[in-house]
Amino acid sequence: MGQSISNKSSPENHRRESTKQARGPDRQDSSSRSSLGTSPKQPHSQHYTSSASTTPTTTTRNTASMDNNGTMVDHKNQAPNRHRSYGGSSSNPPPISSSSTRYGSSYGYQERRKHAITNNSTSGGHTYSTRFANRPVSDTTTTAASGQQPKHSQIDKYFMKYKDDTEDAILAEGMEKFCVDLGVDPTEFIVLVLAWKFEASQMCRFTREEFINGCQKMKVHDAKSLRERFPELLAEARRERNSKELYNFTFSFGLDHSTGQRTLPVEMAIPLWNLVFSQRRPLLLDRWFHFLQSTDVRGISRDTWNMFLPFVKSIAPNLSNYDESEAWPSLFDDFVEYEETNKMSSS
């Protein structure tokens, strides 16, 4: 009898009973419960088709308990215990266009890459690497995750692995080896994202400064650590502000600066549009390409390139809300007129 009274009134039992009351009947003990978040639906504009995976979310569990003096302790200011749940389609990823081919070594890397990008434009094939898109961001547990900055000597060694013998930069041959070590094709979307992060001034070339600064910003020092950052980099590129920055970067990236080129030839602009829109394809894109290829348009100016992004975001697929009095490039007026003429001819 005395033992029963002693157990019932012990501070430990008081603490356990108080903790159960604080949690409520529907809360389980933390040792047997896993708090998993859900992946909310991503809002999509009606003017786009999307192949991107959903964004990971987190949930936080706050608990309360009683100390040995019988005082309730709130743990909300302590570091929460987070568990992540990552969304993603269970269906097969979109296929690579059949016209996209892996090339042998019969001709230069730069020519092969431009040729591959151009071929991908024929059907708007998905050139970005879907095998990285659905990988959880939490997989990136390397130097970047620990917050440690890699040593300059490590990054310099990584650069020297691909450096050209005649110039202090990574050129065609080194760029091909760089992509092989990463396990990616040079025409994939992730390679465009890497060029954007490195702030590369032109296609198929990384200077020492661009490469080392880019690796330092991403806190990577070899192919393994860089590859592990792919899911995070793709998620970063999908954010609204970043996607606009990446889009504008693509125009300069496609120019041939060695010849002072200031406009993109249509045969280069079309595949670059296909590449940069590979994750979220505007419904107007194919009709825009048909217009460019059916008329005598030879080049795309920077202004036309930059304004095309808000154009496909704001203008309905049937062009019903297009206003010629607004400050759109004249090429868009020609496109709308071309579409209206074709519609009248077919009716």
Side-chain angles (χ1 to χ4, degrees), residues 35-39 55-58 83-87:
S35 174
L36 296 178
T38 58
S39 299
T55 304
T57 60
T58 61
H83 303 269
R84 296 186 177 183
S85 174
Y86 298 93

Side-chain angles (χ1 to χ4, degrees), residues 6-18:
S6 176
N7 290 341
K8 182 176 181 181
S9 59
S10 66
E12 180 64 18
N13 282 344
H14 274 299
R15 187 182 65 79
R16 290 177 179 175
E17 290 297 321
S18 299

Side-chain angles (χ1 to χ4, degrees), residues 24-281:
D26 58 339
R27 302 290 294 275
Q28 301 178 18
D29 189 20
S30 61
S31 62
S32 62
R33 187 174 71 92
S34 176
S35 174
L36 296 178
T38 58
S39 299
K41 295 181 178 179
Q42 291 287 333
H44 297 300
S45 168
Q46 62 176 340
H47 309 326
Y48 285 86
T49 58
S50 175
S51 62
S53 62
T54 55
T55 304
T57 60
T58 61
T59 59
T60 303
R61 176 172 63 86
N62 294 327
T63 60
S65 62
M66 181 177 290
D67 62 13
N68 293 333
N69 296 325
T71 304
M72 292 298 297
V73 178
D74 188 359
H75 298 283
K76 67 181 180 178
N77 293 325
Q78 299 182 10
N81 181 18
R82 290 187 173 93
H83 303 269
R84 296 186 177 183
S85 174
Y86 298 93
S89 172
S90 60
S91 60
N92 293 327
I96 302 295
S97 170
S98 59
S99 58
S100 176
T101 310
R102 293 193 180 266
Y103 298 90
S105 57
S106 57
Y107 60 105
Y109 165 82
Q110 183 167 352
E111 288 73 15
R112 294 205 305 278
R113 183 170 188 237
K114 289 184 177 180
H115 185 61
I117 292 175
T118 304
N119 280 353
N120 278 325
S121 69
T122 55
S123 61
H126 297 271
T127 55
Y128 97 101
S129 181
T130 56
R131 64 183 179 276
F132 302 115
N134 293 327
R135 186 180 298 174
V137 176
S138 60
D139 281 352
T140 58
T141 55
T142 56
T143 306
S146 63
Q148 298 179 358
Q149 183 69 41
K151 296 180 180 179
H152 187 281
S153 59
Q154 292 177 309
I155 302 176
D156 189 68
K157 181 180 178 181
Y158 187 31
F159 170 80
M160 292 300 295
K161 184 177 181 180
Y162 309 109
K163 175 185 172 299
D164 192 78
D165 294 335
T166 62
E167 190 174 343
D168 194 28
I170 299 174
L171 303 181
E173 185 177 353
M175 193 71 69
E176 188 169 16
K177 293 178 181 178
F178 173 72
C179 292
V180 169
D181 288 349
L182 290 174
V184 298
D185 189 275
T187 63
E188 292 185 38
F189 179 76
I190 186 62
V191 179
L192 176 64
V193 174
L194 290 177
W196 168 58
K197 294 300 292 183
F198 285 150
E199 299 182 11
S201 57
Q202 64 185 73
M203 193 179 294
C204 306
R205 174 189 172 91
F206 290 148
T207 66
R208 178 186 289 271
E209 182 180 4
E210 291 168 350
F211 190 88
I212 291 180
N213 289 345
C215 287
Q216 286 178 335
K217 289 179 182 178
M218 292 184 285
K219 298 181 180 180
V220 299
H221 62 279
D222 57 17
K224 180 178 182 296
S225 59
L226 180 54
R227 184 183 174 88
E228 288 176 344
R229 292 295 303 273
F230 282 3
E232 184 178 342
L233 293 174
L234 289 170
E236 181 181 351
R238 287 195 295 266
R239 299 189 188 110
E240 183 68 23
R241 185 181 66 178
N242 294 334
S243 64
K244 180 179 179 180
E245 183 180 322
L246 174 61
Y247 174 83
N248 291 341
F249 163 83
T250 305
F251 178 86
S252 296
F253 184 63
L255 292 175
D256 186 354
H257 296 280
S258 63
T259 62
Q261 194 176 57
R262 303 187 66 178
T263 61
L264 273 179
V266 170
E267 59 270 18
M268 179 56 69
I270 288 178
L272 285 176
W273 264 316
N274 260 327
L275 181 61
V276 76
F277 283 127
S278 59
Q279 288 194 315
R280 202 176 181 194
R281 189 174 182 81

